[in-house]
Amino acid sequence: MARNKIVLYGHFGAGNIGNDSTLEAVLQYLRRYPRPSEVICVCSGPDEIGKRFGIKTLPISGGAEVQTSQHRSLVVHKVIRLFDELRFWLEYPRWFEEGDKFIVVGTGAADDLGVIRPWNAPYELYKWCKAAKMGGAQVVFLSVGVGPIVNRMSRVLMLGALRMAHYRSYRETAAFDYLRRCGFDTTEDRLYPDLAFSLVKELPRGPQADTQRVVVGLGLINYRGWHFHRRNSDVVYERYIAEIKRFVGWLLQRGTSVRLFSGDLLDLPVVHEIKRHFDAVRYSPDGGSLISEPVLTIDDLLAQIAQTDIVVASRFHNVLSALLVGVPVISLGYHDKNRNLMGAMGLEKYCQDIERFTFEHLVRQFESYGAEREQAIQRIHKRREEYRCLLDEQYRIVLGQCGRAASNAESPVTEAF
């Protein structure tokens, strides 16, 4: 029997725990899937992903991994890049075959958060989709996030990649709203939950009701605006940090312990800054404690969250991970995807925008959970199981009959969430 390739694409292995969790979820399903297939991951950190999951990997650049050097001239770098591009277009369209599937796996696959140049992530997405299409493979966007794409050329490239797909599904209604504003036809596209909801794990149990000291999980983020290289990025960051410090100080003074964690290696400087700030503060013996332990994988993150009573977080997958464990969460989001997810859980009142949130409103939201915590937990558990069923349905569609025939469901936008 022919062993068609399943090629999984995404920015995995680069330190973003949320991204890696979506890849792990898909790999777990593929290992249960009976059809023999060769699974290859095209990713940002091929060595890390190959070692962690035991699969074949390729770098997103499409070229050989070359160690960067401060001594290499700009001319040499450009020559190497040019040869890599020529080799890519000569080799990879022929590498794909009829029956292969090229799957863009979840994540914010088509936005330009933090993207400085269109010829990096936007172009890489476009060229891999184009090569797969040229080779006869089916292109799939699986529960991805889309938009906003601020840079005009990045928008051309990313929307061009989406147009090549045989099947498209998005993880939040905000993606549909954005694409329709761009004039993109979403008639045959579908809405499914984030892939991380299908993770098969023995989830750690959350704190018990008789716990004497309340523990708050604080998911920190190194946020400096949508395009962090802009001139006001430091202003955005300093405001965020100032409000977070006020909140942490308030919690510690009232005897509440705070567990700090991150969702990306980029966030570690923020964790260190908050920890340094409060290391010098001395509260009464009844004051809360500040806890900071390494978080490198989704298992680490879930284990940390399970030791909290409530989570305050900004990164989408930190919010999602709290919901996965069944812990109530307050979202300080930088994208409508957070608000969409929280709204689906019946928690829309516990959202604020990261660039406009206030300490005072955050305290009110925190105290409001006191009377509603148990009802919120029940809603979270119910919705989580519904999401698992929906994602199982999508896996069967994509791996069984991926293509236009799969779009004949009664409604492309599922109303279940």
Side-chain angles (χ1 to χ4, degrees), residues 17 261-262 295 297-306 317-318 321:
I17 294 171
F261 56 83
S262 61
V295 177
T297 67
I298 186 62
D299 294 299
D300 295 338
L301 180 59
L302 297 177
Q304 295 266 345
I305 290 173
H317 279 99
N318 281 358
S321 294

Side-chain angles (χ1 to χ4, degrees), residues 94-145:
R94 293 183 295 174
W95 179 68
F96 286 101
E97 299 174 351
E98 292 282 346
D100 289 350
K101 289 182 172 63
F102 179 78
I103 303 177
V104 181
V105 179
T107 76
D111 67 43
D112 61 351
L113 172 64
V115 174
I116 298 176
R117 299 177 180 86
W119 55 85
N120 291 333
Y123 173 65
E124 288 161 351
L125 176 67
Y126 178 87
K127 78 176 186 180
W128 276 101
C129 289
K130 185 67 174 179
K133 188 85 169 178
M134 290 170 66
Q138 292 181 324
V139 176
V140 175
F141 281 78
L142 196 66
S143 290
V144 300

Side-chain angles (χ1 to χ4, degrees), residues 9 45 65-66 82 88 94 109 134-135 156 187 192 199 237 241 250 267 282-283 340 364-365:
Y9 177 95
E65 288 191 281
V66 180
L82 177 61
F88 179 91
R94 293 183 295 174
M134 290 170 66
V156 169
T187 305
Y192 276 98
L199 274 170
Y237 176 78
I241 285 295
W250 177 78
D267 302 331
R282 294 290 179 266
Y283 294 111
N340 287 170
R364 288 194 295 270
Q365 289 174 316

Side-chain angles (χ1 to χ4, degrees), residues 78-240:
K78 288 185 175 181
V79 168
I80 292 173
R81 178 69 185 263
L82 177 61
F83 274 101
D84 278 346
E85 284 300 306
L86 290 173
R87 188 180 68 83
F88 179 91
W89 289 109
L90 289 172
E91 178 180 337
Y92 280 97
R94 293 183 295 174
W95 179 68
F96 286 101
E97 299 174 351
E98 292 282 346
D100 289 350
K101 289 182 172 63
F102 179 78
I103 303 177
V104 181
V105 179
T107 76
D111 67 43
D112 61 351
L113 172 64
V115 174
I116 298 176
R117 299 177 180 86
W119 55 85
N120 291 333
Y123 173 65
E124 288 161 351
L125 176 67
Y126 178 87
K127 78 176 186 180
W128 276 101
C129 289
K130 185 67 174 179
K133 188 85 169 178
M134 290 170 66
Q138 292 181 324
V139 176
V140 175
F141 281 78
L142 196 66
S143 290
V144 300
V146 179
I149 312 172
V150 178
N151 181 277
R152 183 177 300 177
M153 182 53 64
S154 295
R155 191 181 313 130
V156 169
L157 291 167
M158 287 180 158
L159 297 187
L162 282 166
R163 288 190 178 94
M164 297 181 218
H166 293 73
Y167 176 95
R168 293 183 294 263
S169 68
Y170 312 117
R171 67 186 183 186
E172 68 263 340
T173 56
F176 284 89
D177 297 338
Y178 175 76
L179 287 170
R180 287 164 182 160
R181 290 197 300 272
C182 292
F184 190 96
D185 183 9
T186 61
T187 305
E188 297 188 26
D189 299 350
R190 307 181 73 175
L191 177 66
Y192 276 98
D194 188 276
L195 298 171
F197 278 109
S198 68
L199 274 170
V200 179
K201 289 185 178 293
E202 186 175 342
L203 294 174
R205 295 180 64 190
Q208 303 306 301
D210 59 356
T211 302
Q212 291 186 350
R213 188 183 292 275
V214 173
V215 180
V216 173
L218 183 58
L220 296 167
I221 183 172
N222 195 346
Y223 182 78
R224 298 170 184 272
W226 188 259
H227 279 176
F228 54 74
H229 58 287
R230 288 184 175 174
R231 284 181 295 179
N232 68 337
S233 60
D234 289 341
V235 175
V236 172
Y237 176 78
E238 292 301 331
R239 183 194 176 281
Y240 164 74

